[in-house]
Amino acid sequence: MGIWRLVRKEMGYRKLNFVLAVFGVLVATAGLVAQVTWLRAYDMRTESFLTRDMDQAVKRLKAIEKKYRQTTNQYGFNVRVLPERQSIEDYYKSGYASETMDQNYARKLADSEFLTTIRHLTPILRKEIFWSEYKQSATLIGTHGEVPLKERSRRKKPIKQSVPDGQIEVGYHLWSKLGLKAEQEVTLFGRQFIIGKCHTERGSQDDFSIWMDLKVAQELTGMAGKINEIQAVDCTCAEANPTKIRQELANILPGTQITVKVDPAVTRVAIRVTAAQGSVDDLKARHASRVQLTQDREILMLATAALLIVGAAVWIALLAFGNVRQRTMEIGVLRAIGLSGAKILLLFLARSIIIGLVGAVAGVLLGGAMGVGVAAMWGELTEASQMWGLFSPLTIGLVVICSPVLSAFVSWPPAMLAARQDPAIVLARE
Amino acid sequence: MLDIRQISKTYTSNGKNVPVLSDMSLRIEPGQFVAVQGQSGCGKSTLLLAAGGLLRPDSGQVIVAGDDPYKLSSEARADFRATHIGFVFQQFHLIPYLDVLDNVLAPSMAHNFPDARSHALELIEHFGITDRIGHLPGELSTGERQRTALARALLNRPKLLLADEPTGNLDTDSGAIVLDYIREFATDGGAVLMVTHDAGAAGQADRVIELAKT
């Protein structure tokens, strides 16, 4: 006969002691599991609300940002980086900068990791010319398209493409006045070009402009390696304002200045972007607040669980002491027939481990059912399939492992008392 | 088989020393059945516990089957008891939640006896309690309980049987049966030390020792 058989038969014989001890473990574990289960239900529910709201807000923000991009694209570049020496008065009067700067400025700007307020950097060389072949004054704009930003995450789809070498693009009034059309071959400053594109009316100086490759324009105007303007678009972030842009450029490109065109339509959309961004930020704040609330609930739950565990521990220890006292003579006889102190210890610890295990399994089942029931009652659980997601395998595993260990731990003192009992004293009482 | 050499034992009660055994010597050879008689408090039970390796004497030596159990560690002494000594008590002290078979098999928890189960069944049959094999102690008569206790004491095929008033709670017939079994154990080569108040029971022994209060 083995120790386990003896333990099993004893538990069956002293049912009340066993049931009361199991009940103690059950109350503690069921309380813990029920709280964890309900907390998970609450988390899942609020998370789904917030995720839904966040998805909607992000969609709204993206839609407004798209609108903003479309608006700014229609409006064109609104930020212009000019040489520091350039008189702004002359710039506005003539429509172009007479001063020049090194064309590498655009690259330097694009490569800066501190560039956050502007994008779509497009270096241009703009100059008033007389198109002698057609006896027409026009604005020549040399450009090689946007300089890609070094930071990949900030790159955007270009709003201005470069003009291939050998081609030019012509503004609306210019081509309509001179009778030009796309694919037509024309001569400019004695060089042959194909008209790549005839632009639609923009209602600005652009309607009298000719676009060509920057390098060709520099050659034609004798301004090799020079540009007189970097066009850009301010970003949609709320922080991008003229003051901020000026501060940023002063750090990256000293020796330049900027002008920022403010368009009411763009401003309106920008405000909506800011508002939408604000609502996303609000949701993020709500999420953070919910995390804090969850943490508070977890602390409360842990405190309750700690109380339940301490209560159960005391209860089990008292019952174990009672069991040892009840079995004093039995222990004496077992020692007399040869059971060692270690085996007596094992006998009582095995009993407590079984109590812990049975109580834990029953507690997990009951606590899980209670947690699901409460979650369903409070509307946290809307679908049956959500039920399995409520159970925390970690919590269940810990409960099933720790309960027998804790039960054995608190039963250790009475078990030691039994193991150290002197059989001679007990038997002499007879 | 049992050689008790000048053992003494003194208890302390309410700050006073109460000597119960003083220079007590006793030798029991295999096959001998020795009864110890005496007034209450003369040290009969103390002698039995000391002989059984359960109560260390203050002085003197106890030799069982050639070994001094008190020179062994507590764990080894427990195993020594499991393999060499059988105990029978006046109150039987059967484990209340184990049936007859499991009670008889109880010593096998202490030491692994290869043929424990078959030997237990033999003993149960021998003591005439086969029909009670699945019964709990509470369902047995006192005679059946003591026979179960005797079977438990003999499961390990002990060399020494220590019996403390084995017939004290039995009627005359049951007592006689139990004494016959104890006698039989001695006849088969075992050594028996029995403590009893019953002159009739003592009369079954090969030798009777009278203990007087010290």
Side-chain angles (χ1 to χ4, degrees), chain B residues 14-35:
Chain B
N14 295 326
K16 291 180 182 174
N17 287 336
V18 182
V20 286
L21 287 176
S22 178
D23 284 337
M24 165 80 191
S25 291
L26 170 67
R27 188 179 174 85
I28 305 176
E29 298 298 336
Q32 270 196 331
F33 180 1
V34 175

Side-chain angles (χ1 to χ4, degrees), chain A residues 163-178:
Chain A
V163 180
D165 188 8
Q167 287 189 12
I168 59 169
E169 293 177 3
V170 188
Y172 173 76
H173 283 303
L174 211 50
W175 63 260
S176 57
K177 181 180 175 186
L178 301 177

Side-chain angles (χ1 to χ4, degrees), chain B residues 58-81:
Chain B
D58 298 334
S59 62
Q61 203 174 18
V62 175
I63 305 294
V64 178
D67 288 316
D68 182 349
Y70 294 106
K71 285 186 176 170
L72 302 172
S73 68
S74 173
E75 299 292 296
R77 195 159 63 246
D79 193 59
F80 183 84
R81 281 198 299 274

Side-chain angles (χ1 to χ4, degrees), chain B:
Chain B
M1 182 58 61
L2 173 65
D3 190 3
I4 293 173
R5 299 171 187 167
Q6 292 184 306
I7 62 166
S8 297
K9 184 69 186 176
T10 300
Y11 293 114
T12 304
S13 175
N14 295 326
K16 291 180 182 174
N17 287 336
V18 182
V20 286
L21 287 176
S22 178
D23 284 337
M24 165 80 191
S25 291
L26 170 67
R27 188 179 174 85
I28 305 176
E29 298 298 336
Q32 270 196 331
F33 180 1
V34 175
V36 178
Q37 282 194 299
Q39 292 176 304
S40 291
C42 68
K44 298 188 298 293
S45 294
T46 300
L47 174 67
L48 208 68
L49 293 171
L54 289 165
L55 184 66
R56 186 187 293 277
D58 298 334
S59 62
Q61 203 174 18
V62 175
I63 305 294
V64 178
D67 288 316
D68 182 349
Y70 294 106
K71 285 186 176 170
L72 302 172
S73 68
S74 173
E75 299 292 296
R77 195 159 63 246
D79 193 59
F80 183 84
R81 281 198 299 274
T83 50
H84 290 90
I85 302 171
F87 284 92
V88 180
F89 307 98
Q90 182 181 356
Q91 301 292 342
F92 327 123
H93 293 318
L94 296 173
I95 297 170
Y97 47 86
L98 297 182
D99 60 22
V100 167
L101 179 60
D102 281 339
N103 259 298
V104 174
L105 280 168
S108 65
M109 284 191 295
H111 189 91
N112 184 27
F113 304 109
D115 61 342
R117 189 173 174 83
S118 60
H119 186 45
L121 292 170
E122 279 172 23
L123 288 166
I124 288 167
E125 189 181 356
H126 182 69
F127 291 128
I129 45 177
T130 306
D131 58 332
R132 314 295 277 167
I133 197 164
H135 288 248
L136 295 176
E139 299 163 347
L140 303 176
S141 69
T142 51
E144 287 168 337
R145 285 184 211 174
Q146 193 59 300
R147 275 182 275 162
T148 304
L150 193 57
R152 179 178 68 185
L154 300 182
L155 182 81
N156 58 349
R157 296 188 173 88
K159 295 179 177 67
L160 174 65
L161 181 65
L162 301 172
D164 190 358
E165 300 277 7
T167 58
N169 275 343
L170 303 181
D171 58 51
T172 311
D173 291 343
S174 297
I177 292 168
V178 168
L179 284 171
D180 283 346
Y181 286 130
I182 293 174
R183 172 80 259 172
E184 185 184 83
F185 172 75
T187 305
D188 290 346
V192 178
L193 177 61
M194 179 178 74
V195 168
T196 183
H197 279 105
D198 182 357
Q204 297 282 322
D206 298 324
R207 185 154 52 110
V208 179
I209 296 169
E210 283 286 338
L211 272 185
K213 276 190 177 178
T214 52

Side-chain angles (χ1 to χ4, degrees), chain A residues 81-337:
Chain A
V81 182
L82 302 171
E84 192 178 29
R85 295 186 307 274
Q86 177 63 46
S87 158
I88 297 297
E89 186 182 348
D90 290 348
Y91 175 75
Y92 284 135
K93 279 181 181 170
S94 63
Y96 68 94
S98 53
E99 297 291 340
T100 59
M101 53 191 170
D102 196 300
Q103 73 175 54
N104 289 328
Y105 274 29
R107 167 56 52 201
K108 189 177 175 184
L109 201 55
D111 286 351
S112 172
E113 60 187 275
F114 303 109
L115 184 70
T116 61
T117 55
I118 56 173
R119 55 206 170 125
H120 297 297
L121 304 177
T122 310
I124 62 167
L125 178 64
R126 191 193 299 261
K127 192 166 175 60
E128 286 301 308
I129 61 164
F130 183 72
W131 194 353
S132 55
E133 285 84 349
Y134 287 92
K135 308 236 183 299
Q136 174 67 46
S137 61
T139 302
L140 178 67
I141 301 172
T143 176
H144 64 32
E146 290 181 24
V147 181
L149 298 179
K150 186 178 183 183
E151 193 189 335
R152 191 172 290 273
S153 64
R154 286 182 41 77
R155 287 181 195 171
K156 302 287 176 188
K157 187 181 171 186
I159 58 172
K160 178 70 183 172
Q161 302 292 336
S162 60
V163 180
D165 188 8
Q167 287 189 12
I168 59 169
E169 293 177 3
V170 188
Y172 173 76
H173 283 303
L174 211 50
W175 63 260
S176 57
K177 181 180 175 186
L178 301 177
L180 303 174
K181 57 188 176 186
E183 307 294 330
Q184 182 179 339
E185 194 172 286
V186 292
T187 307
L188 177 62
F189 291 133
R191 276 181 71 166
Q192 298 292 315
F193 292 95
I194 300 291
I195 297 176
K197 187 175 180 182
C198 291
H199 286 271
T200 54
E201 187 173 11
R202 291 182 181 176
S204 69
Q205 195 182 11
D206 284 352
D207 291 339
F208 279 97
S209 296
I210 301 167
W211 289 267
M212 65 169 60
D213 177 67
L214 177 64
K215 196 173 175 187
V216 177
Q218 287 168 335
E219 284 172 13
L220 291 179
T221 56
M223 299 171 81
K226 295 290 180 188
I227 56 173
N228 50 15
E229 187 175 324
I230 300 170
Q231 294 181 330
V233 176
D234 61 354
C235 74
T236 53
C237 58
E239 294 84 10
N241 55 55
T243 309
K244 173 90 176 170
I245 297 169
R246 281 192 181 94
Q247 281 172 356
E248 195 172 273
L249 282 176
N251 292 328
I252 304 168
L253 274 186
T256 59
Q257 58 181 325
I258 68 158
T259 65
V260 179
K261 254 188 204 174
V262 179
D263 179 78
V266 174
T267 305
R268 265 199 310 278
V269 182
I271 288 168
R272 287 170 61 195
V273 168
T274 307
Q277 183 63 53
S279 71
V280 170
D281 291 344
D282 282 350
L283 279 169
K284 283 179 182 169
R286 274 173 60 192
H287 189 270
S289 155
R290 188 186 67 86
V291 168
Q292 180 61 49
L293 189 65
T294 303
Q295 284 172 351
D296 291 346
R297 282 170 185 266
E298 280 171 354
I299 289 168
L300 183 67
M301 185 198 75
L302 284 175
T304 314
L307 275 176
L308 284 171
I309 288 166
V310 168
V314 171
W315 177 246
I316 291 165
L318 287 173
L319 288 168
F321 269 114
N323 188 252
V324 168
R325 281 182 63 85
Q326 207 174 9
R327 298 169 69 184
T328 303
M329 185 56 77
E330 181 191 325
I331 295 163
V333 172
L334 289 173
R335 292 300 308 274
I337 65 174

